Amino acid sequence: MPKTRRDPSTSESLKSKRLKQKEESSTQKRNAIKLDESDVKERAHGSRELSEYERMRLENIKQNSEFFERLNLSQAKLDLNLSMSSSRTTKVKERGLSRPKMSPQAGPVLPTRQSLRQRNKAPDGVPLPDLPQEMNQPVDEHPRKLGPLEIKPCNNVEETDAQEFIDELTVLANILHKSKEKDDGDTVKEVDGESYKRSLGCLKIKEGHVAKLVPERIFSMAFHPARYKTILLAGDKWGNLGIWDVGSSKGDDGVYLYEPHSRPINCMAFDPGNCGKIFTCSYDGTLRCCDFNSSTFQEVYSFDEDDYSRFMYFTFGSPSNSTILAAIDTGYVLVVDTRTKRNTIAEQSYCLHNKVIKCIDVHPLNSNVFLTSSNDGSVAFWDIRNVKKRNQS
């Protein structure tokens, strides 16, 4: 089909039309921009009426601001900022044992250069056959401590101060024992709920009421039963026993640290008839008595060296206060008489659970009844007169 030539006049007309369209679109855009600017100015001067959506938005903003004003958040924020600023200015002094200093972060570890001999290779770089490995027996870093131990602090305490503290604990035990014999008839005052709530609201943490008692994680704690003196005890992960004489400035701010066990001290309690003795049990398989009068940690019961059973908990009072019911991790309960010298033989042993016994307690009014809880999810109560004895395997 032969091509037809375009008329030059028609091509010029098309170009002129396109130019006119572009000019019209640009003028429309400019006019739209001008209208938007005028709308903004009119809204700013309030000359134009707001739309329904904008009125709803402003109303929501107003309601939200009124709601937050009723909550008084601004005042709470101001009070919090003031308290934070005051706490930053006053540096609290740490009491008790000194914390270990953190070593500064080292740079990137570079690879260690090794010779061909250390890499078990010949001088020409050919690998040599592997050497036979020597079987080294693992070394226990925290071996069990055997026999009676002397009550001697291992922290920064002078020997005279340590002995004075032990003598003071012995005197406190004698005073409490005499007060129990006299039975002066002091009764506990009944407190209603409102006054108790008010007293709880007044509790505050003071600088002198915080101290570091032990170097590692705490597993157990106890209060000394003294009436006019506050003494706290805590046992940690590696068998350390910390005793804090609150208010004292001797040694490490009144903290005395001892090492009666080599594993976690998971339970401690004072002798109900003599607060001069505190009993502790540990994962290291020993049950000890801290006797302040004789200044020794006596060994009340211990498993054989090849027996890795662990004590989990203990309690007094079944059938008497001189008897301890001790729960171990094999599901057994041992009856230990604290008056005997046989520290490896229990009076009785009862298999009560198939798994670890985590806790045990004696009825406060009937000492023949005691309660046990286990990892198998069960809680059971027993009468010691009816529990059958089983041989420990």
Side-chain angles (χ1 to χ4, degrees), residues 50-301:
L50 297 175
S51 64
E52 184 68 21
Y53 171 76
E54 290 174 341
R55 285 197 296 270
M56 292 173 61
R57 185 175 65 83
L58 293 175
E59 184 66 24
N60 288 336
I61 293 173
K62 181 180 178 181
Q63 291 178 1
N64 291 337
S65 61
E66 292 176 353
F67 174 74
F68 285 116
E69 287 179 0
R70 288 196 300 271
L71 292 178
N72 202 13
L73 291 180
S74 58
Q75 184 63 32
K77 181 180 178 181
L78 180 62
D79 296 340
L80 179 62
N81 290 334
L82 289 175
S83 63
M84 293 294 289
S85 61
S86 62
S87 64
R88 290 193 190 99
T89 55
T90 58
K91 186 177 180 181
V92 179
K93 176 189 174 184
E94 291 188 354
R95 296 178 177 273
L97 303 179
S98 58
R99 298 179 183 272
K101 295 182 179 180
M102 301 296 292
S103 58
Q105 293 183 355
V109 180
L110 300 177
T112 305
R113 297 181 62 184
Q114 293 182 341
S115 63
L116 292 175
R117 180 184 61 81
Q118 290 176 328
R119 287 183 286 173
N120 197 25
K121 290 184 178 181
D124 55 357
V126 178
L128 298 174
D130 295 335
L131 298 174
Q133 296 182 355
E134 297 180 358
M135 299 298 293
N136 295 325
Q137 294 182 353
V139 178
D140 190 358
E141 297 180 357
H142 301 274
R144 180 193 295 180
K145 299 177 182 181
L146 304 176
L149 304 173
E150 183 183 1
I151 298 181
K152 186 177 180 180
C154 58
N155 60 326
N156 185 24
V157 179
E158 294 183 3
E159 187 175 354
T160 55
D161 293 339
Q163 188 59 44
E164 287 178 2
F165 179 63
I166 296 300
D167 295 338
E168 186 179 3
L169 291 176
T170 305
V171 172
L172 281 174
N174 296 330
I175 293 173
L176 286 173
H177 184 67
K178 291 179 180 179
S179 64
K180 285 183 179 180
E181 289 180 348
K182 291 181 180 179
D183 192 15
D184 50 6
D186 289 346
T187 57
V188 180
K189 296 181 180 180
E190 294 185 0
V191 181
D192 60 319
E194 290 299 326
S195 61
Y196 186 68
K197 189 185 298 184
R198 286 195 298 270
S199 62
L200 287 178
C202 298
L203 292 178
K204 293 182 180 179
I205 298 178
K206 299 181 181 179
E207 181 180 348
H209 292 170
V210 180
K212 186 174 178 60
L213 271 69
V214 287
E216 300 294 338
R217 186 168 76 246
I218 292 176
F219 272 65
S220 57
M221 296 187 301
F223 266 112
H224 191 283
R227 186 176 302 177
Y228 305 109
K229 192 175 183 64
T230 304
I231 299 175
L232 309 177
L233 298 93
D236 77 349
K237 177 181 177 181
W238 293 119
N240 297 298
L241 175 65
I243 305 179
W244 182 22
D245 184 5
V246 181
S248 175
S249 59
K250 296 179 180 179
D252 290 328
D253 298 315
V255 175
Y256 302 85
L257 185 66
Y258 306 95
E259 297 176 326
H261 295 278
S262 60
R263 297 292 176 182
I265 302 175
N266 51 354
C267 184
M268 64 173 65
F270 280 92
D271 190 332
N274 182 9
C275 66
K277 295 181 178 180
I278 182 169
F279 289 81
T280 58
C281 72
S282 171
Y283 284 177
D284 62 5
T286 60
L287 176 66
R288 290 188 177 274
C289 171
C290 175
D291 190 351
F292 298 120
N293 190 22
S294 62
S295 296
T296 55
F297 289 102
Q298 299 174 0
E299 195 174 75
V300 179
Y301 186 90

Side-chain angles (χ1 to χ4, degrees), residues 8-22:
S9 61
T10 56
S11 61
E12 289 178 359
S13 62
L14 288 172
K15 288 181 181 179
S16 61
K17 284 183 180 180
R18 289 174 181 172
L19 289 173
K20 286 181 180 180
Q21 289 177 356
K22 288 182 179 179

Side-chain angles (χ1 to χ4, degrees), residues 140 143-147 284-286 299 302-309 344:
D140 190 358
R144 180 193 295 180
K145 299 177 182 181
L146 304 176
D284 62 5
T286 60
E299 195 174 75
S302 65
F303 294 105
D304 295 333
E305 293 186 12
D306 56 350
D307 189 349
Y308 297 98
S309 299
T344 59

